[in-house]
Amino acid sequence: MSQRKVRLIQTEQKSQDRLSEKASLLFHADEKGVETQLINVYDDLTYQEIIGFGGAITEASAVTAAKLGEANKNKIIQAYFDAEEGIGYTLCRTHINSCDFSVGNYAYVEEEDATLANFDISRDKEALIPYIKQAYAAAGDDFLLYASPWSPPAWMKTNGEMNNGGKLKPEYREAWARYYVKFIEAYEAEGLPIWGLTVQNEAKAVQIWDSCIYTAEEERDFVRDHLGPALEAADLSRIRLMIWDHNKERVYDRAKVAFLDAEASKYIWGIGFHWYSGDHFQALSAVHDRFPDKGLIFTEGCHEGGVQLGSWKSGERYAHDIIGNLNNWMSGWTDWNIVLDEQGGPNHVGNYCDAPIIADTQNDSLTFQSSYYYIGHFSKYIRPGAVRIASSKYTEKLDTIAFKNVDGTIAVVVLNRTDEDLPYIVRNRDELAESVSPAHSIQTLLFACE
């Protein structure tokens, strides 16, 4: 009987390893009953199913890519959405109306008109929609697109502008609900099926950019009385509707308000969350334990404060958060902008951020950041339909997670954010495979169940 092989993929700070395949490991029988340095993998105990991993295509991303030559413009899409040549993204988020990562404020109905007769997505057709279409073509049938509004049109809001918070005027709730329907129909007419919606990006934050505030009760009532029925009336009940779309520290509180109302809850597929207030991984388990039928999706995260070329901490931050979320029932994960320019924009209020790929639009070149490779250790090897399986580790110095893919391949991710090399032994079905996790590295191990 031949020994099981373990493929080892590695990204490491102190070497040139970037999603690099290393020498394979071999399983052998656990004849002595080893007790130390173990990472146990229990493939007979399963948890949530994975929808996919991905990133956001904003107007900023599309406009930045359009400034590059054809080769690099295409290379970005291939690097993310091609499962063989790239890291296999299948999830994609975009914005309804403008967001801060647009070139300026805009809405699909600029002048006051509750009938929405002049609803027009021609602005999106310039750069945004063509680039999303490229991603769709590269990802294939697994591609799932969802959309989030940052703000209703200015005329629908209490403060009369898209920026600086404000609320949706009560008299426009019905029109705003129909606005989502119009968006879905317009995008689908362009050949882009919409998989899901979030009700509002960052519903708690008054931002200097496009923003709109909902209390938990206001969001619940808007879904129950307006948005849910509007989707239903348009035969769009298939759309996965997500609430909150904000930081994890209040994810349980917001879930409770919406999901304990049966009339609202019937329209809501799940809850979206960001990372900007800290880990709060246990809050995700609290939501799952109380509402096990609801989906949990990471809808946004980025390294704030502009471009940080060469930063290794950004990759480690991504991986630590992804593992923590996955170990607490997250089923889908979406990064923020897939690409930004050398400044970390464009952003119409100067809220510059980092991205896994940074484009130098002056010299037509791309820089792949550590975050790109760290994300790839999950997205490339934990495929849609994979299920999380149980695992345990011998030390808190390592972050670990394990999945079983549809094809039976087990994927184990091992993250080491410390300054020391850490030995470990993978144990599965009474067999062992020895390895070492180098300082500041991430590894994905792939092996068959049997």
Side-chain angles (χ1 to χ4, degrees):
M1 183 173 155
S2 62
Q3 288 179 280
R4 281 194 294 165
K5 260 189 184 176
V6 183
R7 289 178 62 202
L8 175 60
I9 318 298
Q10 180 169 289
T11 296
E12 180 193 11
Q13 184 177 25
K14 68 182 181 221
S15 72
Q16 295 304 305
D17 288 344
R18 301 293 183 268
L19 285 170
S20 304
E21 185 134 11
K22 310 299 286 183
S24 294
L25 313 175
L26 287 173
F27 272 114
H28 58 86
D30 182 14
E31 292 169 345
K32 296 180 180 177
V34 170
E35 296 177 353
T36 58
Q37 300 182 342
L38 291 175
I39 294 175
N40 287 306
V41 179
Y42 311 113
D43 60 89
D44 58 341
L45 182 55
T46 61
Y47 303 97
Q48 79 271 27
E49 182 177 316
I50 290 301
I51 295 164
F53 296 84
I57 299 182
T58 58
E59 185 177 57
S61 288
V63 165
T64 296
K67 292 177 181 175
L68 302 170
E70 204 66 21
N72 275 332
K73 181 183 175 186
N74 296 337
K75 185 178 181 179
I76 295 163
I77 293 295
Q78 184 183 52
Y80 279 119
F81 291 94
D82 188 299
E84 296 301 319
E85 300 299 318
I87 58 173
Y89 273 9
T90 56
L91 264 180
C92 183
R93 184 189 190 209
T94 197
H95 44 92
I96 297 171
N97 295 329
S98 58
C99 67
D100 54 324
F101 281 93
S102 299
V103 180
N105 291 125
Y106 71 91
Y108 306 130
V109 183
E110 293 285 5
E111 302 298 325
E112 183 169 359
D113 175 19
T115 70
L116 310 181
N118 296 316
F119 191 93
D120 181 10
I121 63 163
S122 57
R123 165 82 170 246
D124 290 1
K125 291 181 186 178
E126 293 170 20
L128 183 58
I129 285 175
Y131 213 45
I132 297 173
K133 283 183 177 179
Q134 267 193 260
Y136 185 12
D141 292 341
D142 287 332
F143 185 79
L144 300 175
L145 176 64
Y146 71 99
S148 310
W150 268 243
S151 173
W155 54 268
M156 286 191 183
K157 293 177 66 187
T158 55
N159 66 345
E161 61 169 318
M162 293 184 75
N163 302 339
N164 299 302
K167 293 196 172 196
L168 177 65
K169 289 181 177 179
E171 61 265 34
Y172 289 123
R173 287 172 186 156
E174 190 265 338
W176 181 228
R178 284 189 288 107
Y179 203 100
Y180 296 75
V181 171
K182 290 265 195 185
F183 170 84
I184 294 166
E185 291 172 345
Y187 262 61
E188 295 195 341
E190 292 297 311
L192 288 174
I194 299 296
W195 173 80
L197 292 173
T198 74
V199 179
Q200 168 64 44
N201 177 72
E202 298 190 344
K204 182 175 166 284
V206 175
Q207 311 279 25
I208 60 169
W209 55 85
D210 321 59
S211 44
C212 185
I213 305 305
Y214 292 80
T215 66
E217 293 75 17
E218 287 167 344
E219 186 176 33
R220 173 199 66 198
D221 295 352
F222 175 64
V223 168
R224 182 190 64 209
D225 302 334
H226 302 282
L227 183 53
L231 292 169
E232 194 171 61
D235 198 25
L236 292 172
S237 297
R238 60 179 168 81
I239 298 292
R240 278 73 166 182
L241 190 58
M242 293 166 268
I243 59 162
W244 188 223
D245 201 1
H246 205 169
N247 293 325
K248 282 180 272 181
E249 91 288 339
R250 277 176 176 74
V251 72
Y252 178 72
D253 309 67
R254 296 292 288 222
K256 212 163 47 161
V257 171
F259 299 158
L260 289 176
D261 184 310
E263 286 305 301
S265 183
K266 71 181 183 184
Y267 296 117
I268 304 168
W269 175 84
I271 190 162
F273 53 90
H274 303 177
W275 72 6
Y276 304 108
S277 65
D279 286 350
H280 294 285
F281 301 133
Q282 300 85 353
L284 303 181
S285 274
V287 173
H288 172 80
D289 292 348
R290 186 79 184 267
F291 307 104
D293 59 328
K294 298 299 186 184
L296 285 156
I297 290 198
F298 182 86
T299 48
E300 184 190 312
C302 73
H303 223 48
E304 313 93 321
V307 176
Q308 292 148 65
L309 285 182
S311 165
W312 203 259
K313 287 209 176 298
S314 65
E316 293 185 339
R317 181 185 182 189
Y318 271 93
H320 170 72
D321 194 72
I322 291 170
I323 289 173
N325 294 336
L326 286 171
N327 274 322
N328 288 275
W329 296 95
M330 177 181 76
S331 58
W333 183 89
T334 329
D335 189 24
W336 194 202
N337 302 277
I338 61 167
V339 64
L340 292 172
D341 67 18
E342 53 271 45
Q343 194 171 13
N347 183 292
H348 70 86
V349 293
N351 180 37
Y352 302 119
C353 294
D354 207 351
I357 299 178
I358 294 297
D360 183 336
T361 58
Q362 304 303 309
N363 299 302
D364 189 14
S365 65
L366 301 174
T367 299
F368 286 71
Q369 302 271 64
S370 65
S371 48
Y372 171 83
Y373 300 103
Y374 271 70
I375 294 164
H377 276 270
F378 303 90
S379 59
K380 190 172 178 67
Y381 303 108
I382 301 167
R383 304 302 298 158
V387 290
R388 178 165 64 96
I389 55 178
S391 61
S392 68
K393 60 186 181 180
Y394 79 96
T395 175
E396 287 301 309
K397 292 178 179 179
L398 295 173
D399 290 345
T400 61
I401 191 89
F403 280 85
K404 180 160 59 178
N405 283 295
V406 173
D407 67 0
T409 304
I410 289 177
V412 180
V413 181
V414 180
L415 170 68
N416 181 354
R417 296 183 294 155
T418 77
D419 295 331
E420 56 182 312
D421 295 351
L422 295 167
Y424 65 88
I425 304 166
V426 174
R427 179 172 169 270
N428 173 246
R429 301 194 172 197
D430 290 322
E431 290 188 322
L432 309 175
E434 290 85 2
S435 190
V436 174
S437 171
H440 298 289
S441 73
I442 185 168
Q443 298 171 326
T444 302
L445 289 77
L446 301 164
F447 54 89
C449 279
E450 304 295 341

